[in-house]
Amino acid sequence: MKLRIIKQIRRIFSLKEGEGARTALMFSFIFLLVTSLLIVKPVRNSLFLVNVGISKLPYAFILVAVFSAIVVTLFSKYSTKFHVGKLLRAVLDLSILSLLAFWALFYFGVESVWIIYIFYIWVSIFGVITTMQFWLLSNYIFTSREAKRLFGLVGAGGISGGIFGGYLTNFIAPRLGTENLILLSAVFLFLCIFIGRYAWVNYGKKNYAERHLVKTRTKTQSIPERTISVIFKSKYLTLLMGIVGVSVLVANLADYQFNLIASETIQDEDKLTAFFGFWLSNLSILSLLIQLFITGRMINYFGVGISLLLLPIGILIGAGAIIINPGIYSALLIKVNDGALKQSINKAARELLSLPIAAEVKNRVKAFIDVFVDNFATGVSGILLLIATLVFVISVQQISWIIIFFILIWLYMIYKIKSEYVNSFRMAIEKRFINFEEEPYNLNDASILNSLYKALEGDNERQILYVLSLIENVKSDGLIPRLKKLLQHKSAEVKSKALKLISEFDRKEFYELVLPLVEDPDMEVKTNAIIYLYDKSENPNDFISEYLQKEDLKIKIATMMCVAEDCCTNSELRKSMDIEEIYKSVFAKESMKLLEPDKVTLLKINAANFIGTSLSAKLYNKLIDLFEDDSIDVKKSAVINMGKTASIDFLEFLIENLNNSDLKVHVRDAITRIGEDAIGLLSEKLKDEKVDYLIRKAIPDVLARIYSDSQTNALLEQLPTSELGLRFEMIKSLNKLKTKFPAMRIDNSIIQKTIALEVNYYYKLSSILSVEKKALNSMTENRDEEALMKARRLLIISIEDKFNNILERIFRLLGLLYLSSDMYNAYLGIASRNKNIKADAIEFLDNSLSRKLKSTIIPIIETDTPDSLAEKAMILFEISFENEEQCIYELMEDDSNWLKACSIYLANALNGGKYTEKFESFVNDPDAIVRETAEHALMN
């Protein structure tokens, strides 16, 4: 019974396991804090209005702004030196001592005007700074996702405190006197010290340390910026500051209207204190009802942006009422809208806006905005009221027009901050990399060239090669002696690079230096040397004839490659040469009979290279012959050169070899070089279930390398109907295309349909997992059930592993609907072990995804237990499994061969005979694991 009640309470208040204690603690804290505040505020208002007067209230507003500037400057200066726990204790201690001092002054009759002014200013700053410290602590007690669910409930503690404090003031003020209420306020504040200490030590301290550790790892040494600079450099913080400032300005103008009407109606000090206490309590009751039954749902359903709109719209209605009828009820209407919404929906939404602020500046920024900006706006409202009432002598109705003007500005800033709020969470979950971009060298600068020449004269091979790559397009006589020396270098790579560079110089002395390199053992050096000599020869045909007669096989091959490259670019030479005859003279089978096996392999590899380089269509059939060779190196060369030809004639042959693990990469690249002409046949093969599964699985990766609309459509068409493994490959391919071509056209309806299939599959497995876990938990440890227990555990582990695969597919699909980098970073955040990073990622998704998508996806990534997801599965998709037998039959039809095998294994452990007919249907299954598991089950 007790567990059922606890479960019901959790469901009503959206509490998860482990959150109850923290929430109750913070609820109590804000209850006592606001009770203290709601006792002392009516005292402040009453003392001021009776002893100083409503006409002096604008001056009080201005003084509040001036002194708040001093307070926030001191706070910002010293807040970085102390953690949140110490700051909170210091603020509470100082507040209690101040209250005791004021009580003593008033108790002994010291009620001079300047003391009342000080008291008014102090209460204004005290109220803001203590509640600011409470919410700052709450930021470290709860993650962003917990905050979104629970800040409404926690805030209800403050509203409850407002109700209690207001009614208590209304009841006690006439009996104890206004001044003695200050002492009662200090008592409640004293209790906050113990709760704040406990909350910090047990919950806040660890999260505070974790967040600052993350910042420390990536932080560079720098001089701390002024708080105002930090704010103005951030569009988000600037808008937040603006919203706070305008809201306070509007609230003070509305408060002035309310106080003016109240003070004209009630003259007695204690009765006025009771009146303020009474109405503050009534407003708090309304706030509590809104907080408990509307705030959480409002923020979760509509988000922060819409929730922030309610308060300005409510005040707008009240201001309009005062314009129509400036009586007590109109004043109460504007106060009701302000008081009820400000401490409920608006307060929770405002605190959520503080969550993305970086941990290392949050103290300073919140202090500046919540104290200085709050009270600065109060000062501005005071100046406006002085100008309005003393200079222009405007009526209480006309003040409403000023309020309406500022509300319009307020609404605009709320509209702008919504997108910045989402962007702030995007930044919170992104991976940050430092990119170093080198400045291009000015190679015409003599000093730079001289330093490069010195590098060429050194012994560092990597450095020499790097410099040679830099000076590829430099033609300077200063290079000639260096290149001559490099032609004698011990490194074949350096010699080969130098041979390529000397072709830019028409110098006869190079010719004599290159001739010996024809005999170099390295094939690349030999080939580049022959190419150089061929280019400089007066009669190319004679040169070719001479070198093809050489005994050295490598010289013949190098000469052939020289011919192939020249024929590829020189159409006149191709016409004058008989390429086929030249090929036969070197690569004919007869010429290979007397060669050693390794030389035959070398010759065949280069025969394929010759065909691919020369692009002689009459020799293309030779590549198919070469592919049949036993040597894998010859096969690779044949495939690579099929790609070089880009001939459609090879396409069918290449696709058939996509399942060859040794050649898969080369086959893929060869098909890619064929280009758009390959898309049609690739699409047909992808759809054809008779085609080998490994071939079909490899096709999406090939298509991803050939961009066109038809290729994208080929992938999209098959996406919702394909087998899971094949679907994953297609999704990955579409992701690659989206990364390369962000503007590519994608049919979003197909993506959404596929996401729905994946989500449905996730919920289905969650329901099955719930049934299996219950079955496992009901078992007892004994030998008779050992095999069954093992089978259930294997299935449970396998399903849990599947969740990761499904989640990756879902996020890859989301990357096709939204900015792919955002979804990738969100996925990393979800997978993070850091609960704050994960919470930020979920919050980002909650504000980015469409309502339909987030209604099904957010529960998947936020819910911890399969039972909860099973309940969601029933609500969202009507998926439900009454018993384990239903689960087994469902999994036997699953796309995953491994889950299919696990279900067969479990069925056999449960009652093999019952499933015999089903086992028999799997004995000819194409998957070996499924087939063998079924055969094993039948034998038992």
Side-chain angles (χ1 to χ4, degrees), residues 534 540 563-576:
Y534 172 76
V563 171
E565 288 185 13
D566 207 4
C567 287
C568 180
T569 56
N570 190 334
S571 57
E572 292 298 321
L573 182 65
R574 185 183 298 182
K575 290 177 184 177
S576 65

Side-chain angles (χ1 to χ4, degrees), residues 534-793:
Y534 172 76
D535 287 340
K536 304 302 179 184
S537 64
E538 295 179 1
N539 192 325
N541 287 333
D542 291 344
F543 178 87
I544 290 168
S545 298
E546 178 188 347
Y547 275 79
L548 286 178
Q549 302 300 318
K550 299 283 187 181
E551 292 295 324
D552 189 332
L553 180 62
K554 289 183 178 180
I555 292 177
K556 286 184 179 183
I557 292 171
T559 305
M560 288 293 289
M561 294 312 301
C562 181
V563 171
E565 288 185 13
D566 207 4
C567 287
C568 180
T569 56
N570 190 334
S571 57
E572 292 298 321
L573 182 65
R574 185 183 298 182
K575 290 177 184 177
S576 65
M577 283 192 176
D578 190 340
I579 300 294
E580 290 75 24
E581 283 301 318
I582 292 175
Y583 176 87
K584 287 178 184 178
S585 68
V586 177
F587 300 121
K589 290 181 180 179
E590 292 75 18
S591 60
M592 300 183 190
K593 288 180 180 178
L594 301 175
L595 296 175
E596 297 172 4
D598 60 329
K599 290 186 177 181
V600 172
T601 300
L602 178 64
L603 206 58
K604 288 180 178 179
I605 289 170
N606 283 281
N609 291 337
F610 179 84
I611 297 168
T613 305
S614 67
L615 298 179
S616 176
K618 293 180 180 179
L619 294 174
Y620 286 176
N621 64 313
K622 302 290 184 183
L623 289 173
I624 302 291
D625 295 338
L626 288 166
F627 183 84
E628 302 301 327
D629 195 83
D630 294 335
S631 168
I632 190 66
D633 292 326
V634 176
K635 288 178 183 289
K636 284 180 183 178
S637 184
V639 169
I640 291 167
N641 286 285
M642 286 178 193
K644 286 182 181 179
T645 68
S647 173
I648 194 74
D649 296 337
F650 292 119
L651 183 58
E652 181 89 43
F653 177 83
L654 289 168
I655 292 174
E656 289 173 1
N657 285 280
L658 272 171
N659 58 355
N660 188 319
S661 58
D662 293 325
L663 301 170
K664 182 179 176 180
V665 173
H666 303 291
V667 172
R668 179 200 66 194
D669 293 343
I671 297 173
T672 302
R673 296 186 74 158
I674 294 173
E676 287 193 45
D677 291 339
I679 292 174
L681 187 57
L682 286 168
S683 300
E684 289 178 20
K685 298 288 185 183
L686 183 62
K687 296 174 186 176
D688 190 351
E689 294 183 4
K690 295 178 182 177
V691 173
D692 184 283
Y693 176 73
L694 291 177
I695 292 175
R696 294 177 70 206
K697 196 173 179 181
I699 287 174
D701 188 34
V702 179
L703 286 170
R705 296 163 192 274
I706 313 168
Y707 178 66
S708 76
D709 288 339
S710 57
Q711 166 261 21
T712 306
N713 292 334
L715 289 169
L716 287 171
E717 284 172 10
Q718 286 294 102
L719 204 55
T721 57
S722 59
E723 182 271 336
L724 291 177
L726 193 56
R727 183 190 295 168
F728 187 42
E729 294 302 321
M730 287 191 275
I731 295 169
K732 285 197 295 184
S733 297
L734 287 166
N735 288 146
K736 289 176 185 175
L737 284 167
K738 179 78 181 292
T739 302
K740 289 182 190 174
F741 310 100
M744 79 176 206
R745 290 177 292 177
I746 293 180
D747 187 340
N748 287 349
S749 64
I750 295 176
I751 303 300
Q752 288 170 342
K753 182 179 178 182
T754 311
I755 290 174
L757 290 173
E758 294 288 356
V759 168
N760 186 288
Y761 185 45
Y762 197 105
Y763 279 103
K764 183 185 81 171
L765 290 184
S766 296
S767 294
I768 293 173
L769 183 64
S770 177
V771 172
E772 292 300 330
K773 283 201 167 184
K774 286 174 184 175
L776 182 65
N777 292 335
S778 67
M779 296 179 71
T780 56
E781 294 279 352
N782 62 69
R783 290 188 177 182
D784 294 337
E785 292 191 316
E786 189 175 339
L788 180 56
M789 187 176 287
K790 182 180 177 183
R792 280 192 178 128
R793 282 176 178 162

Side-chain angles (χ1 to χ4, degrees), residues 496-514:
S496 184
K497 189 76 174 176
L499 280 166
K500 290 179 180 178
L501 290 179
I502 65 170
S503 61
E504 298 296 321
F505 297 90
D506 189 16
R507 305 293 289 247
K508 291 182 179 179
E509 61 263 37
F510 279 133
Y511 195 91
E512 296 301 321
L513 289 171
V514 172

Side-chain angles (χ1 to χ4, degrees), residues 373-529:
V373 173
D374 187 301
N375 290 305
F376 178 78
T378 300
V380 172
S381 66
I383 294 171
L384 279 174
L385 286 169
L386 284 176
I387 295 170
T389 56
L390 296 180
V391 179
F392 295 102
V393 196
I394 65 175
S395 66
V396 71
Q397 290 168 290
Q398 291 171 319
I399 290 174
S400 286
W401 289 110
I402 301 174
I403 290 173
I404 291 169
F405 170 75
F406 284 109
I407 285 175
L408 294 176
I409 298 173
W410 188 357
L411 293 171
Y412 174 75
M413 287 191 288
I414 289 171
Y415 169 75
K416 296 295 289 183
I417 205 170
K418 170 63 169 61
S419 60
E420 290 300 317
Y421 176 72
V422 175
N423 189 53
S424 66
F425 278 102
R426 176 186 290 119
M427 296 300 293
I429 61 174
E430 275 183 0
K431 292 281 184 181
R432 290 171 174 80
F433 297 97
I434 300 173
N435 295 315
F436 297 97
E437 291 185 8
E438 294 182 47
E439 290 287 332
Y441 286 108
N442 178 12
L443 296 177
N444 293 318
D445 189 315
S447 61
I448 292 177
L449 271 176
N450 286 332
S451 65
L452 294 177
Y453 292 160
K454 286 180 182 178
L456 292 177
E457 292 167 0
D459 296 325
N460 189 319
E461 181 185 344
R462 291 296 99 194
Q463 193 176 65
I464 292 170
L465 288 169
Y466 176 67
V467 171
L468 289 175
S469 67
L470 285 177
I471 60 174
E472 280 179 349
N473 298 316
V474 175
K475 193 173 182 180
S476 168
D477 288 343
L479 274 176
I480 292 173
R482 277 87 184 182
L483 290 174
K484 284 182 179 180
K485 187 176 179 182
L486 292 177
L487 290 174
Q488 313 299 320
H489 200 276
K490 60 184 179 180
S491 166
E493 198 172 351
V494 170
K495 283 188 283 189
S496 184
K497 189 76 174 176
L499 280 166
K500 290 179 180 178
L501 290 179
I502 65 170
S503 61
E504 298 296 321
F505 297 90
D506 189 16
R507 305 293 289 247
K508 291 182 179 179
E509 61 263 37
F510 279 133
Y511 195 91
E512 296 301 321
L513 289 171
V514 172
L515 273 173
L517 295 179
V518 172
E519 305 294 337
D520 194 275
D522 184 81
M523 191 66 196
E524 187 177 1
V525 173
K526 191 187 293 288
T527 302
N528 285 331

